[in-house]
Amino acid sequence: MAVKASVLVASAIATLARAAQPGAASPIAAPMRDLVWGKLNFLHTTDTHGWHGGHLQEAQYSADWGDYISFAEHLQKEADEQGVDLLLVDTGDRVEGNGLYDASNPKGKYYFDIYREQDVDIICTGNHELYHASTADGEHLRTVPNFQEKYIASNLDYIDPKTGLQIPMAQRYRKFQTKNQKLTIVAMGFLFDFTGNANNTVVQPVRETIKEQWFQDAIRENPDVFVVIGHVGVKMPEFKEIFTAIRKQNWFTPILFFGGHVHVRDATAYDSKSFAIASGRYFETIGWMSVDGDLKRTTKDVVAAAAIDVPPSAEVAGLSFHRRYIDNNLLGLYYHTGLDESTFSTDHGRNVSQMIAQARKDLDLDYTFGCAPKDLWMTRAPYPSEDSIYTWLEKEVLPEIAINNDRKDVPRLVIMNTGAIRFDIFKGKFTRDTTYIISPFLSVLHYIPDVPYEVASKVIGLLNNAGRIMEEASVMEEQAPMDPRFMGIPEQFAITEDIIHEKPMPSFTGDSAVEGQKPLSGDGGSRKEPVLVEGYTTRDDIGDDGDDAVHSAINFYVVPNCIQAEVGFSPKEDDEKPEKVDLVFFDFIQPWVMVALKISGGDYTNDDVKSYVDGTFTELMAGWIKENWPLC
Ligand SMILES: *[C@@H]1O[C@H](CO)[C@@H](O)[C@H](O)[C@H]1NC(C)=O
Ligand SMILES: *[C@@H]1O[C@H](CO)[C@@H](O)[C@H](O)[C@H]1NC(C)=O
């Protein structure tokens, strides 16, 4: 495996015209690891959440969907020239989380036409396509027809509003031949065992789906390769269930998995002839997977039987798998295609960048509420601390937005779930776009009046520290078990222990770069280490050489499920607690709050819950920013 490291010359930064969106941060250079091509190659996006305009405030992710189209066109040409194949995959959660999707009325007015311009070969649904009936309608009426036979819904049905009939959201699986090598592929597309969908869709648990006749037929199709895509984390049980079912029937066939949902870069192998990748979130990452070796099925495959059940490893049984997490950075895209800013953009890609620019303009996404005086971090700064977005919300924002004019003299505890915040705030303009990026949910504030302080004050501790008790109590209340981690941020769900730390890790230096991929300056004489930009330093089951760009590590601090502001309490000095408080909380966490109240001895039902203040949290926060952060 020859993985080279090289450095993009810094002078590339100084060059002129480029694509990406007007006003987007200029891309920045980093030492690079090459893409490793095989016979069958893939580009993978997942959990893009409307970020098809790229990250305008983050230089290393500032390429847009039009640039990705140019990139894929160049790599497709390369594949054709080499006589190998390239397929594009997307595993859902394309919607919700960015003004380009959320700011229009109806939502997604511009998104569908922009997204469809990419020639995706295998596409499926995420949970965010299904929370609202209208979103699921949009998916069924726009995206499914846009992609036709490429859209797969192995365990998802749609209820047609006209007929009331339950029909597959799209076909259950796809059998096709690749363009250049005529490899036969059987592809499936799953969603994890999701239960929070609106009532116009039906998600079938994976363990039920694999018993169905179509699935049993599909795994007997004898393809050269199975490709299972899913809105499923690669370490989640659903993929293991599918893998086991396919493998029992097909001892020797390569099975490739493309996952998502958990917003992390990750890769693993379930056995020596399988490989799985997850490609991050928010269009920061374009995943690359390749498999090399003899993929056409022949009888000699039988001889490889002995290779079954060996521990995960990248190169055994004549097959080799590679993965690369490509930063959505224009300079990196130039690098991987061997092009530059004068040759990279294709007509098609440029047109799509133009469509995005026009949509952003029509939606007035650059309208500025105020300017953030500094960066505020979700997990890059400890909570509490002055750089924590949660401390800012708790100390400054919640006390001033959680005001009910009829009850403003009643002291209150205001509880917010950390998962209600989706992204960091960067120093500089806080725009209409930013409001959707930070908080795309239509969260509102609810409350229960006059709760004894003794009872109300125990709730936050239970929400944060009593996962087991809360789950058991919810079952006793005859509710579905509610995992309190769902109140927190999805990134924390998936991260492995060794990257969570309470204190900052020692800062990354060139010397701790992966062996063989040390940043090289190219000229043996005056060797200088490039300054590394903070970014992903992924460690997965395959190793720590997955990222295409070498970065310095970003701190990750654990945050609680919920934070709490005490508002209208008497001054700290006299340390006297009120007898009764209003318990104010985000509507999303109401089920957990009710269980926690019950455990703390409060006998309340949903009938006791009222609306506390008009407007969504997002609107209230934008109003606070307009009042408190001057324009820059
Ligand atoms: C879904 O819920 C809505 C609102 O509660 C109701 O009007 C509609 O009939 C339900 N649809 C189905 C298919 O059950
Ligand atoms: C790009 O847009 C122009 C003008 O709308 C159109 O004529 C052209 O066909 C488009 N090209 C591609 C490749 O989409």
Side-chain angles (χ1 to χ4, degrees):
M1 174 166 104
V3 181
K4 283 180 295 179
S6 9
V7 179
L8 281 171
V9 266
S11 66
I13 308 167
T15 48
L16 313 156
R18 51 190 178 81
Q21 289 300 295
S26 298
I28 39 172
M32 299 296 289
R33 301 186 183 104
D34 290 343
L35 302 182
V36 180
W37 285 76
K39 293 261 172 56
L40 185 54
N41 308 276
F42 295 84
L43 290 172
H44 176 212
T45 48
T46 192
D47 298 82
T48 49
H49 285 287
W51 288 79
H52 306 104
H55 291 236
L56 278 74
Q57 291 181 300
E58 288 177 284
Q60 79 230 52
Y61 312 121
S62 62
D64 67 21
W65 198 246
D67 298 315
Y68 180 39
I69 288 170
S70 300
F71 184 57
E73 284 176 6
H74 293 303
L75 294 188
Q76 191 66 62
K77 193 156 157 266
E78 172 81 25
D80 293 348
E81 281 164 15
Q82 290 184 25
V84 299
D85 287 293
L86 175 72
L87 297 171
L88 269 61
V89 171
D90 185 284
T91 44
D93 275 12
R94 293 172 284 276
V95 302
E96 299 187 338
N98 188 287
L100 188 62
Y101 177 84
D102 293 275
S104 65
N105 187 8
K107 289 178 186 294
K109 190 169 152 199
Y110 300 88
Y111 147 81
F112 294 106
D113 289 341
I114 292 165
Y115 184 87
R116 72 174 297 180
E117 291 294 320
Q118 182 59 291
D119 197 4
V120 181
D121 296 283
I122 315 171
I123 180 171
C124 69
T125 317
N127 50 308
H128 275 267
E129 274 84 16
L130 306 179
Y131 280 108
H132 302 286
S134 56
T135 324
D137 290 338
E139 195 63 15
H140 190 74
L141 298 173
R142 304 287 301 274
T143 305
V144 171
N146 284 346
F147 289 91
Q148 300 191 21
E149 80 283 358
K150 297 171 176 179
Y151 201 117
I152 313 181
S154 295
N155 64 334
L156 177 64
D157 286 348
Y158 175 72
I159 297 175
D160 188 307
K162 290 200 199 82
T163 61
L165 291 178
Q166 181 175 334
I167 53 172
M169 175 63 118
Q171 70 195 314
R172 297 294 189 215
Y173 76 99
R174 171 171 190 219
K175 184 181 185 185
F176 65 102
Q177 287 202 320
T178 60
K179 179 178 169 193
N180 292 323
Q181 298 160 104
K182 309 292 176 222
L183 295 169
T184 304
I185 309 275
V186 163
M188 303 182 195
F190 283 89
L191 174 61
F192 72 96
D193 296 347
F194 175 55
T195 55
N197 49 314
N199 67 0
N200 63 342
T201 57
V202 178
V203 183
Q204 188 183 44
V206 167
R207 64 184 172 279
E208 301 300 325
T209 304
I210 60 182
K211 292 181 202 150
E212 292 206 321
Q213 192 57 47
W214 74 261
F215 182 89
Q216 291 301 323
D217 294 343
I219 64 176
R220 289 172 174 80
E221 290 272 16
N222 292 323
D224 297 313
V225 179
F226 283 98
V227 177
V228 179
I229 76 165
H231 194 75
V232 181
V234 298
K235 305 270 167 62
M236 286 170 66
E238 288 89 339
F239 267 178
K240 303 276 172 59
E241 289 164 9
I242 299 162
F243 167 75
T244 305
I246 299 178
R247 182 57 84 218
K248 266 197 220 154
Q249 187 62 37
N250 300 271
W251 284 19
F252 312 112
T253 314
I255 313 175
L256 309 179
F257 286 81
F258 294 84
H261 181 56
V262 280
H263 289 189
V264 292
R265 295 178 171 187
D266 199 7
T268 192
Y270 305 129
D271 70 3
S272 64
K273 290 199 160 209
S274 70
F275 202 71
I277 185 175
S279 302
R281 58 167 198 183
Y282 303 156
F283 199 35
E284 293 166 341
T285 303
I286 299 167
W288 169 267
M289 190 206 282
S290 65
V291 49
D292 208 6
D294 193 5
L295 292 171
K296 270 276 177 210
R297 275 173 68 91
T298 58
T299 45
K300 78 174 173 357
D301 283 345
V302 179
V303 182
I308 292 284
D309 282 329
V310 300
S313 157
E315 278 170 292
V316 283
L319 290 179
S320 65
F321 302 91
H322 288 99
R323 51 80 181 96
R324 191 67 81 218
Y325 309 107
I326 302 170
D327 278 355
N328 187 32
N329 180 338
L330 263 183
L331 293 183
L333 304 186
Y334 298 163
Y335 176 81
H336 293 305
T337 50
L339 298 168
D340 60 29
E341 109 284 335
S342 64
T343 51
F344 177 79
S345 289
T346 63
D347 280 352
H348 187 195
R350 211 176 294 118
N351 277 5
V352 174
S353 294
Q354 184 51 41
M355 281 170 83
I356 297 168
Q358 189 60 51
R360 289 185 47 82
K361 196 152 170 270
D362 292 352
L363 292 167
D364 202 12
L365 292 183
D366 292 326
Y367 171 84
T368 304
F369 289 94
C371 282
K374 60 176 179 177
D375 297 332
L376 291 167
W377 305 113
M378 293 171 66
T379 57
R380 285 199 215 180
Y383 165 80
S385 78
E386 62 175 27
D387 293 327
S388 161
I389 196 168
Y390 297 112
T391 299
W392 168 72
L393 288 162
E394 180 182 313
K395 301 282 180 227
E396 300 193 45
V397 182
L398 291 178
E400 291 183 22
I401 65 171
I403 296 173
N404 173 322
N405 281 331
D406 297 333
R407 303 189 61 82
K408 60 177 182 296
D409 299 328
V410 182
R412 49 214 177 265
L413 295 174
V414 185
I415 302 180
M416 170 181 194
N417 60 306
T418 51
I421 296 296
R422 290 291 271 200
F423 210 63
D424 305 312
I425 292 178
F426 298 104
K427 181 176 182 194
K429 288 183 178 176
F430 190 103
T431 63
R432 188 185 309 285
D433 198 19
T434 321
T435 60
Y436 294 101
I437 290 169
I438 302 305
S439 178
F441 311 113
L442 305 174
S443 299
V444 294
L445 270 57
H446 284 174
Y447 83 117
I448 300 176
D450 300 322
V451 179
Y453 179 79
E454 269 298 296
V455 173
S457 59
K458 291 197 182 107
V459 170
I460 182 78
L462 286 162
L463 298 180
N464 285 336
N465 303 318
R468 178 77 57 79
I469 299 170
M470 292 282 293
E471 282 209 52
E472 284 168 4
S474 60
V475 172
M476 274 155 57
E477 292 292 304
E478 296 185 349
Q479 296 176 5
M482 301 181 304
D483 188 333
R485 290 180 303 169
F486 284 121
M487 295 183 285
I489 58 172
E491 288 77 3
Q492 209 158 283
F493 231 96
I495 46 181
T496 51
E497 304 261 314
D498 55 331
I499 66 165
I500 299 178
H501 50 96
E502 301 295 333
K503 296 213 175 68
M505 290 203 287
S507 68
F508 182 94
T509 66
D511 289 346
S512 53
V514 188
E515 197 187 333
Q517 280 98 47
K518 284 208 178 108
L520 304 172
S521 71
D523 87 3
S526 62
R527 195 185 151 137
K528 267 191 276 166
E529 298 288 347
V531 178
L532 295 180
V533 174
E534 284 193 339
Y536 283 97
T537 50
T538 308
R539 185 179 308 155
D540 57 28
D541 289 356
I542 314 304
D544 47 13
D545 60 352
D547 301 312
D548 79 327
V550 180
H551 292 130
S552 65
I554 290 175
N555 291 324
F556 189 103
Y557 296 89
V558 176
V559 295
N561 297 326
C562 294
I563 59 168
Q564 171 173 279
E566 293 183 352
V567 187
F569 279 44
S570 53
K572 271 250 154 63
E573 303 83 82
D574 45 22
D575 204 31
E576 210 174 284
K577 297 300 180 191
E579 209 173 299
K580 287 182 171 176
V581 293
D582 284 351
L583 183 65
V584 183
F585 48 87
F586 279 49
D587 60 338
F588 179 80
I589 58 172
Q590 183 166 324
W592 288 276
V593 170
M594 300 315 286
V595 172
L597 275 170
K598 187 133 289 177
I599 297 173
S600 353
D603 192 15
Y604 298 97
T605 68
N606 285 330
D607 295 339
D608 298 308
V609 177
K610 303 182 167 86
S611 162
Y612 191 70
V613 52
D614 285 341
T616 66
F617 165 73
T618 307
E619 290 162 356
L620 295 167
M621 180 180 62
W624 186 93
I625 286 167
K626 212 168 158 58
E627 299 239 316
N628 291 276
W629 284 352
L631 293 171
C632 43

